[in-house]
Amino acid sequence: MSDIFDKTVKKKPKEDLCVVYVMFFDEKRGQVPLLMYPDDRLRSDKRYMRPINFHPVWFLETEDLDHIDLEYKGYTFFGKKFLAKSKRQKRRAGLEEETPETIVIIVSIPVEIDIFGDELIKRLTEELRENFDDQLSEVIESEIASEAVIKTPKIHECISKGTKIKVFMRELIDKTIKDYFSKAIENRAESTSLKTQKAIAYFSLKGFEFSPLSSLKGDGSFANLELFETSKKPIELIGPKSILSITHLNFIENSQELEITIQNNTDKDLTNMSVTITHVKEFFEKVIMTQKVEFWFSLEELLFVSPIVPHINEYLVSIKQEDDHGNSNKILTHKIDLKLINKISS
Amino acid sequence: MSIEQIQEEDIIIRNYRTSDYEATLEILKDLNELFDIGFNEKQWRESSGLRQFKPNLKRITLIAELKSTGQVVSMGMIEGVKNTLGQYIGYLDNWATKKEFIGKGVGKLLADRAIQILESWGTDSIRINLAYTTDEKLINIFSKLGFQPIITVLEKRF
């Protein structure tokens, strides 16, 4: 395990799980951290901030790609960019008060549990946008005001208002993370996927909530599950099955191709779908294959065959659906590691 | 099954599903015995007949199923390939019918549907790969549908 998130900052047990960075675009200074979870002091720690400065999320368009992930020293960093309402007077010519604020959320979690990252960053973004869309510009204003050398009572008031909002934001982030991991672990406990089992093993080894001994479960537990529980029936998944699911993955060694079989799990035909296979090289996401699927019948399995890039093992499958207005909605994102899938000769 | 011509209303033409694996495997094995098409049983996997998307290639395996019994009686693969000359060529490949249904017109019904699909994909032309030892009768059937022999394909196996 990498030591970039090591002992210098005092942590509670579950704070190892993830670090959340909420950043904003300052017209003078560029990307600046607005809030960090679990501890705001991390913003002055170079080891935490180094990967953030190079994350490809800065090149992400807010409208097109949904999010980008980057692997760095044993951690996967998921980054998502969006625009928030603003009434703040900008410090660059040509920008109006109404020019929206550019907010970036980055979540870093250990690679062993990165299967949870996609959904977690989506939830965090949704929660923050839903609850703080109108207030983010006030927090930014307070962040900028805190840099002022001479602080007038008005500036103090502005800083205090922003600080209060930040407390609520941090509480929301904390609650969202705990709720998410608790449910995600319960829902996936019976999964036969190697990646999921690896993630659960990680939680177990870290002594989170899967300890076989109930007595070890305390406040730090996320889920009411035990690793070797035999008395209960298998837990049924709550909520509807996902729209699409990957049913088979093969790596064809002869032709150096990746075969991905994906099923439409719904009882409806899907239209205007687009399937993209990418890989991240250095800090840039490169598209290897994009296929348009005009119609995808109910319960139909489709086979996508993508070439691979020599010496690159990790790929990302993204599936989007375009609505009548030309807006794309992400339906599925899945990371594929060639080292973990079937290898066949032809 | 009576030895009569099969009509369009007697069959369902649909896309391949993984549950058709066994039936299609049998048909392809029979075809290989007759014409040595180079079929390798190990390479025909459950997913092989699924609708396939690959750069410069689209492929569908069509299945003809008897309405009355649900039996798979014929199959054929259609491909749309962009070649190096920039032409978008449609291919009818591995066209095969279960032994007892050969000569009942089911292959033609399937081919008509395949041609419709390839036209809808916007292909410039359609080619059919036939075994070198194909019966002249079959070539005549296809020539009535507008297909003319233009290429002889030679193969060297390793």
Side-chain angles (χ1 to χ4, degrees):
Chain A
M1 195 72 221
S2 159
D3 63 350
I4 64 160
F5 293 168
D6 66 7
K7 296 92 191 166
T8 47
V9 176
K10 209 174 175 185
K11 294 175 282 189
K12 293 175 194 167
K14 34 177 191 294
E15 285 169 3
D16 262 326
L17 272 183
C18 64
V19 175
V20 181
Y21 307 72
V22 182
M23 324 275 288
F24 76 100
F25 180 75
D26 181 322
E27 304 85 63
K28 273 192 175 172
R29 294 179 290 165
Q31 303 295 341
V32 176
L34 192 61
L35 180 152
M36 283 182 70
Y37 171 91
D39 193 326
D40 230 13
R41 285 172 296 173
L42 297 176
R43 64 162 77 189
S44 54
D45 190 322
K46 280 183 187 167
R47 288 164 304 170
Y48 284 80
M49 295 311 293
R50 192 179 295 127
I52 302 309
N53 297 331
F54 298 106
H55 196 286
V57 71
W58 312 123
F59 305 99
L60 178 71
E61 290 292 325
T62 47
E63 301 304 325
D64 290 346
L65 277 168
D66 187 62
H67 71 267
I68 294 180
D69 59 324
L70 162 79
E71 199 177 312
Y72 181 77
K73 290 199 172 182
Y75 286 80
T76 305
F77 292 76
F78 296 82
K80 198 169 164 76
K81 195 187 257 187
F82 64 92
L83 300 175
K85 282 179 200 160
S86 182
K87 287 169 272 177
R88 176 176 67 89
Q89 180 137 27
K90 307 294 184 302
R91 299 186 289 170
R92 184 182 287 175
L95 296 179
E96 312 275 330
E97 280 190 10
E98 290 76 25
T99 305
E101 304 289 354
T102 304
I103 306 289
V104 165
I105 297 183
I106 294 178
V107 176
S108 85
I109 53 178
V111 286
E112 289 85 350
I113 55 168
D114 68 4
I115 51 165
F116 298 111
D118 282 333
E119 187 62 25
L120 178 60
I121 194 165
K122 204 174 144 197
R123 292 246 181 121
L124 282 169
T125 312
E126 279 169 7
E127 290 289 341
L128 286 172
R129 291 187 81 170
E130 198 174 301
N131 294 288
F132 294 97
D133 195 39
D134 292 334
Q135 296 169 71
L136 279 166
S137 70
E138 290 178 69
V139 185
I140 293 170
E141 230 163 342
S142 90
E143 181 65 32
I144 293 167
S146 67
E147 297 288 314
V149 182
I150 300 165
K151 293 186 173 69
T152 61
K154 203 179 167 190
I155 290 178
H156 276 298
E157 194 189 326
C158 172
I159 294 171
S160 147
K161 197 174 176 189
T163 311
K164 276 180 198 159
I165 299 172
K166 272 197 205 178
V167 171
F168 291 118
M169 281 172 72
R170 194 186 306 282
E171 273 178 15
L172 180 73
I173 292 172
D174 186 61
K175 184 177 175 296
T176 307
I177 290 172
K178 285 175 185 166
D179 281 357
Y180 171 71
F181 276 111
S182 160
K183 289 193 180 101
I185 294 163
E186 277 190 13
N187 289 348
R188 294 183 192 216
E190 301 297 322
S191 167
T192 53
S193 144
L194 183 63
K195 191 97 171 134
T196 309
Q197 286 302 319
K198 244 178 102 178
I200 291 171
Y202 175 88
F203 285 117
S204 154
L205 289 167
K206 287 277 173 183
F208 283 117
E209 72 294 347
F210 283 96
S211 170
L213 302 170
S214 300
S215 59
L216 291 181
K217 288 165 64 180
D219 289 342
S221 68
F222 282 113
N224 297 320
L225 277 172
E226 292 180 6
L227 193 59
F228 305 115
E229 197 168 39
T230 51
S231 58
K232 281 186 188 172
K233 287 179 187 170
I235 292 154
E236 304 230 339
L237 286 176
I238 301 161
K241 207 176 172 185
S242 56
I243 297 172
L244 298 170
S245 59
I246 294 180
T247 53
H248 285 99
L249 282 171
N250 287 318
F251 170 42
I252 307 168
E253 285 184 308
N254 296 10
S255 54
Q256 293 286 293
E257 286 174 324
L258 177 61
E259 268 191 7
I260 308 159
T261 311
I262 306 172
Q263 183 167 26
N264 170 4
N265 295 319
T266 65
D267 54 4
K268 287 176 189 164
D269 298 346
L270 301 171
T271 54
N272 295 327
M273 308 292 286
S274 129
V275 179
T276 308
I277 318 279
T278 56
H279 77 89
V280 176
K281 190 176 181 187
E282 290 162 356
F283 302 113
F284 299 98
E285 199 170 10
K286 293 194 174 174
V287 175
I288 300 172
M289 181 177 99
T290 299
Q291 294 287 333
K292 295 269 176 210
V293 181
E294 282 166 19
F295 52 89
W296 194 329
F297 298 116
S298 163
L299 303 175
E300 186 186 20
E301 282 180 288
L302 296 184
L303 179 66
F304 298 89
V305 183
S306 166
I308 61 143
V309 181
H311 314 300
I312 299 282
N313 286 321
E314 290 189 351
Y315 296 85
L316 196 68
V317 186
S318 310
I319 305 182
K320 287 179 187 169
Q321 184 171 36
E322 201 173 279
D323 64 20
D324 299 337
H325 309 289
N327 301 318
S328 288
N329 301 311
K330 187 160 273 189
I331 308 277
L332 178 88
T333 307
H334 188 88
K335 194 168 156 186
I336 295 169
D337 188 339
L338 294 187
K339 286 183 279 184
L340 299 176
I341 64 174
N342 291 336
K343 289 185 177 58
I344 53 175
S345 57
S346 58
Chain B
M1 188 69 214
S2 60
I3 313 297
E4 290 164 4
Q5 282 296 106
I6 288 179
Q7 305 302 316
E8 204 173 344
E9 54 273 21
D10 299 328
I11 56 167
I12 295 167
I13 296 176
R14 58 168 173 79
N15 284 349
Y16 169 95
R17 298 178 197 134
T18 47
S19 56
D20 297 320
Y21 170 70
E22 292 293 342
T24 50
L25 181 68
E26 283 306 309
I27 293 176
L28 288 169
K29 271 160 67 178
D30 289 347
L31 182 70
N32 195 46
E33 269 176 34
L34 276 175
F35 297 109
D36 186 22
I37 57 168
F39 175 67
N40 181 345
E41 198 176 327
K42 283 179 192 159
Q43 288 176 4
W44 183 252
R45 288 175 281 121
E46 275 192 352
S47 59
S48 301
L50 292 175
R51 197 143 66 96
Q52 190 178 119
F53 294 81
K54 193 175 170 176
N56 296 327
L57 182 133
K58 256 208 267 193
R59 180 191 287 162
I60 293 181
T61 303
L62 288 182
I63 296 290
E65 176 189 302
L66 265 193
K67 265 186 191 167
S68 54
T69 60
Q71 188 185 8
V72 174
V73 292
S74 187
M75 66 172 285
M77 291 171 127
I78 55 176
E79 285 184 351
V81 182
K82 275 210 173 119
N83 71 15
T84 45
L85 300 174
Q87 295 168 303
Y88 190 28
I89 310 284
Y91 287 91
L92 306 192
D93 272 339
N94 302 322
W95 226 250
T97 301
K98 246 178 134 41
K99 273 180 194 165
E100 56 270 37
F101 291 90
I102 291 175
K104 308 287 175 294
V106 65
K108 185 180 176 302
L109 291 171
L110 207 56
D112 287 342
R113 182 66 59 87
I115 292 163
Q116 278 175 21
I117 294 170
L118 286 168
E119 261 189 312
S120 75
W121 285 1
T123 54
D124 301 322
S125 61
I126 300 173
R127 292 178 185 172
I128 305 174
N129 290 327
L130 297 174
Y132 193 57
T133 52
T134 297
D135 195 342
E136 191 138 341
K137 216 169 107 186
L138 191 58
I139 295 174
N140 291 335
I141 291 171
F142 279 117
S143 67
K144 281 178 196 163
L145 292 169
F147 290 89
Q148 298 302 323
I150 56 158
I151 300 171
T152 303
V153 176
L154 305 181
E155 182 181 271
K156 179 181 166 71
R157 289 187 186 171
F158 298 105

